[in-house]
mmCIF file with all atom_site columns, all heavy atoms in Angstrom:
data_model
loop_
_atom_site.group_PDB
_atom_site.id
_atom_site.type_symbol
_atom_site.label_atom_id
_atom_site.label_alt_id
_atom_site.label_comp_id
_atom_site.label_asym_id
_atom_site.label_entity_id
_atom_site.label_seq_id
_atom_site.pdbx_PDB_ins_code
_atom_site.Cartn_x
_atom_site.Cartn_y
_atom_site.Cartn_z
_atom_site.occupancy
_atom_site.B_iso_or_equiv
_atom_site.pdbx_formal_charge
_atom_site.auth_seq_id
_atom_site.auth_comp_id
_atom_site.auth_asym_id
_atom_site.auth_atom_id
_atom_site.pdbx_PDB_model_num
ATOM 1  N N   . VAL L 1 6   ? -126.802 13.455 51.654 1.00 50.00 ? 791 VAL L N   1
ATOM 2  C CA  . VAL L 1 6   ? -126.122 12.365 50.969 1.00 50.00 ? 791 VAL L CA  1
ATOM 3  C C   . VAL L 1 6   ? -125.197 12.901 49.852 1.00 50.00 ? 791 VAL L C   1
ATOM 4  O O   . VAL L 1 6   ? -125.599 14.003 49.288 1.00 50.00 ? 791 VAL L O   1
ATOM 5  C CB  . VAL L 1 6   ? -127.181 11.388 50.468 1.00 50.00 ? 791 VAL L CB  1
ATOM 6  C CG1 . VAL L 1 6   ? -127.895 10.531 51.468 1.00 50.00 ? 791 VAL L CG1 1
ATOM 7  C CG2 . VAL L 1 6   ? -128.194 11.968 49.526 1.00 50.00 ? 791 VAL L CG2 1
ATOM 8  N N   . PRO L 1 11  ? -123.983 8.311  44.885 1.00 62.00 ? 796 PRO L N   1
ATOM 9  C CA  . PRO L 1 11  ? -124.487 7.786  46.206 1.00 62.00 ? 796 PRO L CA  1
ATOM 10 C C   . PRO L 1 11  ? -124.642 6.279  46.268 1.00 62.00 ? 796 PRO L C   1
ATOM 11 O O   . PRO L 1 11  ? -125.226 5.687  45.326 1.00 62.00 ? 796 PRO L O   1
ATOM 12 C CB  . PRO L 1 11  ? -126.043 8.412  46.206 1.00 62.00 ? 796 PRO L CB  1
ATOM 13 C CG  . PRO L 1 11  ? -126.235 8.763  44.755 1.00 62.00 ? 796 PRO L CG  1
ATOM 14 C CD  . PRO L 1 11  ? -124.899 9.074  44.205 1.00 62.00 ? 796 PRO L CD  1
ATOM 15 N N   . ASP O 2 69  ? -134.212 14.565 41.473 1.00 93.00 ? 874 ASP O N   1
ATOM 16 C CA  . ASP O 2 69  ? -132.829 14.046 41.775 1.00 93.00 ? 874 ASP O CA  1
ATOM 17 C C   . ASP O 2 69  ? -131.859 15.350 41.897 1.00 93.00 ? 874 ASP O C   1
ATOM 18 O O   . ASP O 2 69  ? -131.631 16.096 40.907 1.00 93.00 ? 874 ASP O O   1
ATOM 19 C CB  . ASP O 2 69  ? -132.421 13.080 40.805 1.00 93.00 ? 874 ASP O CB  1
ATOM 20 C CG  . ASP O 2 69  ? -131.160 12.345 41.296 1.00 93.00 ? 874 ASP O CG  1
ATOM 21 O OD1 . ASP O 2 69  ? -130.084 13.000 41.183 1.00 93.00 ? 874 ASP O OD1 1
ATOM 22 O OD2 . ASP O 2 69  ? -131.292 11.287 41.897 1.00 93.00 ? 874 ASP O OD2 1
ATOM 23 N N   . SER O 2 99  ? -127.367 10.319 38.973 1.00 90.00 ? 904 SER O N   1
ATOM 24 C CA  . SER O 2 99  ? -128.517 10.338 39.803 1.00 90.00 ? 904 SER O CA  1
ATOM 25 C C   . SER O 2 99  ? -128.885 9.040  40.466 1.00 90.00 ? 904 SER O C   1
ATOM 26 O O   . SER O 2 99  ? -128.209 8.000  40.227 1.00 90.00 ? 904 SER O O   1
ATOM 27 C CB  . SER O 2 99  ? -129.764 10.657 38.767 1.00 90.00 ? 904 SER O CB  1
ATOM 28 O OG  . SER O 2 99  ? -129.912 9.500  37.961 1.00 90.00 ? 904 SER O OG  1
ATOM 29 N N   . ARG O 2 100 ? -129.834 9.092  41.274 1.00 89.00 ? 905 ARG O N   1
ATOM 30 C CA  . ARG O 2 100 ? -130.159 7.865  42.056 1.00 89.00 ? 905 ARG O CA  1
ATOM 31 C C   . ARG O 2 100 ? -130.619 6.809  41.102 1.00 89.00 ? 905 ARG O C   1
ATOM 32 O O   . ARG O 2 100 ? -130.388 5.505  41.268 1.00 89.00 ? 905 ARG O O   1
ATOM 33 C CB  . ARG O 2 100 ? -131.278 7.995  43.074 1.00 89.00 ? 905 ARG O CB  1
ATOM 34 C CG  . ARG O 2 100 ? -130.806 8.937  44.181 1.00 89.00 ? 905 ARG O CG  1
ATOM 35 C CD  . ARG O 2 100 ? -131.342 8.506  45.532 1.00 89.00 ? 905 ARG O CD  1
ATOM 36 N NE  . ARG O 2 100 ? -130.549 9.108  46.666 1.00 89.00 ? 905 ARG O NE  1
ATOM 37 C CZ  . ARG O 2 100 ? -129.545 8.521  47.180 1.00 89.00 ? 905 ARG O CZ  1
ATOM 38 N NH1 . ARG O 2 100 ? -129.204 7.303  46.971 1.00 89.00 ? 905 ARG O NH1 1
ATOM 39 N NH2 . ARG O 2 100 ? -128.779 9.271  48.149 1.00 89.00 ? 905 ARG O NH2 1
ATOM 40 N N   . ASN O 2 101 ? -131.360 7.199  40.119 1.00 93.00 ? 906 ASN O N   1
ATOM 41 C CA  . ASN O 2 101 ? -131.839 6.232  38.981 1.00 93.00 ? 906 ASN O CA  1
ATOM 42 C C   . ASN O 2 101 ? -130.643 5.537  38.331 1.00 93.00 ? 906 ASN O C   1
ATOM 43 O O   . ASN O 2 101 ? -130.630 4.474  38.013 1.00 93.00 ? 906 ASN O O   1
ATOM 44 C CB  . ASN O 2 101 ? -132.815 6.850  38.059 1.00 93.00 ? 906 ASN O CB  1
ATOM 45 C CG  . ASN O 2 101 ? -134.174 7.004  38.612 1.00 93.00 ? 906 ASN O CG  1
ATOM 46 O OD1 . ASN O 2 101 ? -134.577 6.239  39.571 1.00 93.00 ? 906 ASN O OD1 1
ATOM 47 N ND2 . ASN O 2 101 ? -134.980 7.862  37.959 1.00 93.00 ? 906 ASN O ND2 1
ATOM 48 N N   . GLU O 2 102 ? -129.695 6.489  38.043 1.00 93.00 ? 907 GLU O N   1
ATOM 49 C CA  . GLU O 2 102 ? -128.510 5.982  37.236 1.00 93.00 ? 907 GLU O CA  1
ATOM 50 C C   . GLU O 2 102 ? -127.637 5.009  38.193 1.00 93.00 ? 907 GLU O C   1
ATOM 51 O O   . GLU O 2 102 ? -127.084 4.061  37.674 1.00 93.00 ? 907 GLU O O   1
ATOM 52 C CB  . GLU O 2 102 ? -127.621 7.219  36.868 1.00 93.00 ? 907 GLU O CB  1
ATOM 53 C CG  . GLU O 2 102 ? -128.262 7.963  35.628 1.00 93.00 ? 907 GLU O CG  1
ATOM 54 C CD  . GLU O 2 102 ? -127.599 9.259  35.409 1.00 93.00 ? 907 GLU O CD  1
ATOM 55 O OE1 . GLU O 2 102 ? -126.837 9.796  36.239 1.00 93.00 ? 907 GLU O OE1 1
ATOM 56 O OE2 . GLU O 2 102 ? -127.802 9.755  34.251 1.00 93.00 ? 907 GLU O OE2 1
ATOM 57 N N   . VAL O 2 103 ? -127.627 5.297  39.566 1.00 91.00 ? 908 VAL O N   1
ATOM 58 C CA  . VAL O 2 103 ? -127.048 4.271  40.387 1.00 91.00 ? 908 VAL O CA  1
ATOM 59 C C   . VAL O 2 103 ? -127.709 3.029  40.343 1.00 91.00 ? 908 VAL O C   1
ATOM 60 O O   . VAL O 2 103 ? -127.096 2.051  40.203 1.00 91.00 ? 908 VAL O O   1
ATOM 61 C CB  . VAL O 2 103 ? -126.977 4.862  41.903 1.00 91.00 ? 908 VAL O CB  1
ATOM 62 C CG1 . VAL O 2 103 ? -126.702 3.872  42.821 1.00 91.00 ? 908 VAL O CG1 1
ATOM 63 C CG2 . VAL O 2 103 ? -126.170 6.139  42.050 1.00 91.00 ? 908 VAL O CG2 1
ATOM 64 N N   . ASP O 2 104 ? -129.062 3.070  40.331 1.00 93.00 ? 909 ASP O N   1
ATOM 65 C CA  . ASP O 2 104 ? -129.802 1.843  40.274 1.00 93.00 ? 909 ASP O CA  1
ATOM 66 C C   . ASP O 2 104 ? -129.574 1.102  38.917 1.00 93.00 ? 909 ASP O C   1
ATOM 67 O O   . ASP O 2 104 ? -129.417 -0.193 38.969 1.00 93.00 ? 909 ASP O O   1
ATOM 68 C CB  . ASP O 2 104 ? -131.195 2.029  40.493 1.00 93.00 ? 909 ASP O CB  1
ATOM 69 C CG  . ASP O 2 104 ? -131.595 2.483  41.784 1.00 93.00 ? 909 ASP O CG  1
ATOM 70 O OD1 . ASP O 2 104 ? -130.769 2.213  42.722 1.00 93.00 ? 909 ASP O OD1 1
ATOM 71 O OD2 . ASP O 2 104 ? -132.741 3.095  42.125 1.00 93.00 ? 909 ASP O OD2 1
#
Side-chain angles (χ1 to χ4, degrees):
Chain L
V791 292
Chain O
D874 190 278
S904 70
R905 294 220 163 261
N906 281 339
E907 288 169 341
V908 167
D909 289 341

